Structure formats: C-alpha cells, structure tokens
Amino acid sequence: VEFVEPRATLLKKPVPLLRPIMLNTEKGALGNLLIGTILAIVAAVGMGVELYDHLCGGIDEIGLSCADFIPDVATASFALTVVAAVAGFAALVAAAKKIWKLATAIAILAFVTVSLHFIWFAPWELFGITLGKPPFAWYNGVAIGSVINYLFGALATFQMSKAAESDLPK
C-alpha cells in the first residue's frame, strides 16, 4: 500500500515550503519597517516629553536655557532615536520602491542607531556631578520593540534583495 498525501493529489502541483511571512517576504519587510518606525517615533516623543517635563520644567521662566540642564548622554540617546526613526522611514520608502539593497543598508542603520538608544542608561552627569542612572521607563520598552522590528525588517529586506537577484520566490 502506497501512501499518497491527499492535499498533493487534490492540487496536482508541489506544495511550496511555508515561510514565516514577517521574515522574508515583501509584506514582512514593509510591515516590520513600518512598525519599527512607528515605535521609534513613539519612543523619541516619550523621551522628549520626559526630558522637557522633568528636567526643564520652570527653567525657561527664569531665563536659562533648557539645553544646559539635559545631560549629554540623554541628548545623544534622544538624537539617536530620532535618527533611527528617520532612517526607518527612508528604509520603508526604499522598500516600497523595491530598491532592496538600499533598503537593507538603511534598515541596518536604523537598527544600529535605535540599539544605541540604550546609552540612555549610562550614568548621567551634569556640570561635573554624577546624577546617577535613570530608571527604566515605558519609552525604553517601546525602543526594544523598535530594535526587534528593525532587525526583522533588515533581515527581510536582505532576503528580498537576494530573491530579486535570483529566481527565488518573492
């Protein structure tokens, strides 16, 4: 007795290998880059509000600059998160236009810059005085989500660039 898979006989064609949609398809690339970009924007906005409200509240009223009272590490972390959001948007545009190699390069940049967001937890120093480390806040958790989605987006765009060069299924 020979076993024949019922699905194969009904379809009369080979069954394709199942692939995780979010890792190596065009929809996966676009979806991960979009989610990563949205999360990076939300993290940057949350950080900006936190920095302004808690470190600068009332400073402007006495004639001092708010920028003088924000530790350099916090400024760098905020700037890197903003760069990641902009890079993620650029990668999303490149992926939407199917320029996969460029999208891969920019997605890697977005992944690296949002990963560097976590210098936020280096000890804060202001006017030569160490203020300590900031606590983990909700926007740091959002940045973790952005890191994960940018990683998957970079992997997916890389897979799509390889598929575009060959006859692999897209």
Side-chain angles (χ1 to χ4, degrees):
V1 174
E2 182 180 328
F3 176 75
V4 178
E5 184 182 0
R7 203 167 92 172
T9 57
L10 291 174
L11 297 175
K12 300 288 186 204
K13 61 181 179 180
V15 178
L17 295 175
L18 298 176
R19 303 181 297 173
I21 191 168
M22 292 308 281
L23 288 180
N24 57 359
T25 64
E26 184 177 336
K27 289 179 185 175
L30 293 171
N32 279 306
L33 292 173
L34 177 65
I35 293 168
T37 301
I38 290 169
L39 292 176
I41 291 168
V42 170
V45 168
M47 292 169 66
V49 169
E50 176 84 13
L51 289 173
Y52 187 79
D53 284 352
H54 292 284
L55 296 176
C56 298
I59 298 289
D60 296 333
E61 296 170 5
I62 58 174
L64 297 173
S65 172
C66 178
D68 294 335
F69 292 92
I70 297 177
D72 293 338
V73 170
T75 303
S77 177
F78 174 75
L80 286 165
T81 307
V82 170
V83 168
V86 172
F89 181 74
L92 184 62
V93 169
K97 292 184 176 185
K98 296 181 181 14
I99 309 171
W100 296 113
K101 285 187 178 184
L102 179 63
T104 301
I106 300 172
I108 291 170
L109 173 67
F111 169 72
V112 169
T113 54
V114 81
S115 296
L116 291 174
H117 155 91
F118 296 100
I119 64 170
W120 178 268
F121 294 110
W124 286 16
E125 189 175 289
L126 195 60
F127 306 118
I129 300 167
T130 301
L131 303 175
K133 295 180 181 181
F136 189 88
W138 66 268
Y139 43 83
N140 301 121
V142 171
I144 291 171
S146 184
V147 168
I148 293 167
N149 278 281
Y150 279 149
L151 173 63
F152 288 156
L155 291 172
T157 54
F158 178 74
Q159 285 289 89
M160 291 307 297
S161 72
K162 290 298 178 194
E165 293 173 353
S166 68
D167 59 351
L168 293 174
K170 294 164 182 65

